[in-house]
């Protein structure tokens, strides 16, 4: 799942969602095209397991996505015994709470306006589990939630210009109208 936010609006507006059962090899091209369609959007790609392939391939030929428009993280490289700068967000026990926090803050503060029913439905089905983690209820999915959280991280880290909200997530905006009732599937995208 990939979600595009328009950060030139207040609140940030969900303008596109790319979702489906797509292998990592086949996800690079649509993601690159989606990013280019939205003015070389700043992409935050999760680099865990299969996402690693997407992170490696996006800046390479034939996709040649601009490196400065890809989220980079600083990590300790144990093999080289030094800090390295790599493409992608690595979700682990230490960074998962940052994603969940960004998502919770944006929803509570009405920083983001969601227009995709599936994203809204998945956000409503996030729960604390017995293991103390926030994830989807048993039998449900949370891919849209984490894609949204990554998009929110991207909005906060966008390198080209000031975003409408400061990094502390404090806002001075008027209340957002209620989410509109949308059909489950778009007549255009089928999602």
């Amino acid at each position: 799942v990939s979600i595009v936010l328009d950060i030139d609006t207040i609140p940030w507006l969900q303008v596109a969602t790319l979702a489906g059962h797509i292998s990592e090899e086949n996800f690079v091209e649509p993601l690159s095209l989606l990013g280019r369609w939205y003015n070389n959007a700043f992409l935050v790609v999760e680099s865990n397991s299969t996402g690693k392939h997407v992170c490696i391939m996006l800046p390479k030929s034939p996709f040649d996505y601009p490196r400065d428009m890809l989220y980079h993280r600083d990590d300790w490289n144990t093999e080289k015994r030094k800090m390295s700068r790599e493409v992608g967000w690595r979700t682990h026990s230490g960074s998962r709470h940052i994603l969940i926090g960004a998502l919770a803050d944006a929803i509570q503060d009405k920083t983001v306006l969601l227009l995709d029913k599936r994203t809204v439905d998945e956000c409503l089905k996030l729960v604390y589990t017995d293991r103390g983690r926030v994830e989807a209820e048993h039998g449900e999915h949370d891919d849209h939630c984490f894609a949204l959280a990554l998009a929110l991280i991207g909005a906060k880290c966008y390198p080209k210009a000031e975003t409408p909200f400061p990094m502390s997530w404090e806002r001075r905006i008027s209340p957002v109208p209620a989410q509109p009732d949308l059909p489950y599937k778009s007549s255009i995208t089928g999602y």
Side-chain angles (χ1 to χ4, degrees):
V1 177
S2 181
I3 291 179
V4 179
L5 297 178
D6 181 353
I7 62 171
D8 291 332
T9 63
I10 297 177
W12 296 330
L13 182 65
Q14 180 183 15
V15 294
T17 302
L18 172 66
H21 296 283
I22 309 168
S23 69
E24 62 274 12
E25 294 86 9
N26 294 324
F27 194 62
V28 181
E29 184 175 15
L31 182 61
S32 176
L33 290 171
L34 184 67
R36 290 188 192 285
W37 179 261
Y38 286 97
N39 305 313
N40 284 333
F42 185 62
L43 302 180
V44 182
V45 180
E46 189 174 37
S47 65
N48 297 39
S49 66
T50 58
K52 184 78 170 168
H53 175 79
V54 177
C55 291
I56 291 168
M57 295 307 297
L58 271 172
K60 291 185 177 181
S61 181
F63 309 108
D64 298 313
Y65 203 82
R67 267 193 174 288
D68 63 330
M69 295 308 289
L70 296 171
Y71 175 87
H72 287 74
R73 71 179 186 286
D74 295 320
D75 261 349
W76 178 254
N77 185 324
T78 52
E79 293 172 9
K80 296 181 181 179
R81 301 187 54 118
K82 67 177 188 176
M83 291 300 285
S84 66
R85 188 152 174 78
E86 295 183 26
V87 172
W89 174 277
R90 202 168 116 247
T91 304
H92 51 76
S93 59
S95 68
R96 186 179 174 90
H97 74 280
I98 296 170
L99 288 177
I100 298 297
L103 181 61
D105 286 349
I107 291 170
Q108 180 179 354
D109 297 344
K110 298 179 181 168
T111 305
V112 63
L113 180 60
L114 303 176
L115 299 178
D116 177 45
K117 185 173 183 345
R118 181 134 183 216
T119 304
V120 173
D121 289 345
E122 284 191 15
C123 287
L124 291 171
K125 293 177 182 170
L126 284 180
V127 296
Y128 276 100
T129 64
D130 298 344
R131 300 180 312 192
R133 290 176 49 152
V134 175
E135 54 190 36
E137 293 175 346
H138 180 70
E140 300 293 337
H141 298 279
D142 58 13
D143 299 329
H144 284 252
C145 299
F146 280 91
L148 175 59
L150 289 169
L152 291 164
I153 295 295
K156 289 175 66 176
C157 299
Y158 185 59
K160 294 293 184 185
E162 282 291 315
T163 57
F165 303 116
M167 293 296 284
S168 67
W169 289 92
E170 292 174 13
R171 319 271 186 278
R172 292 183 285 299
I173 62 173
S174 59
V176 178
Q179 297 283 345
D181 272 340
L182 297 175
Y184 189 75
K185 289 190 177 189
S186 164
S187 61
I188 297 169
T189 63
Y191 294 107

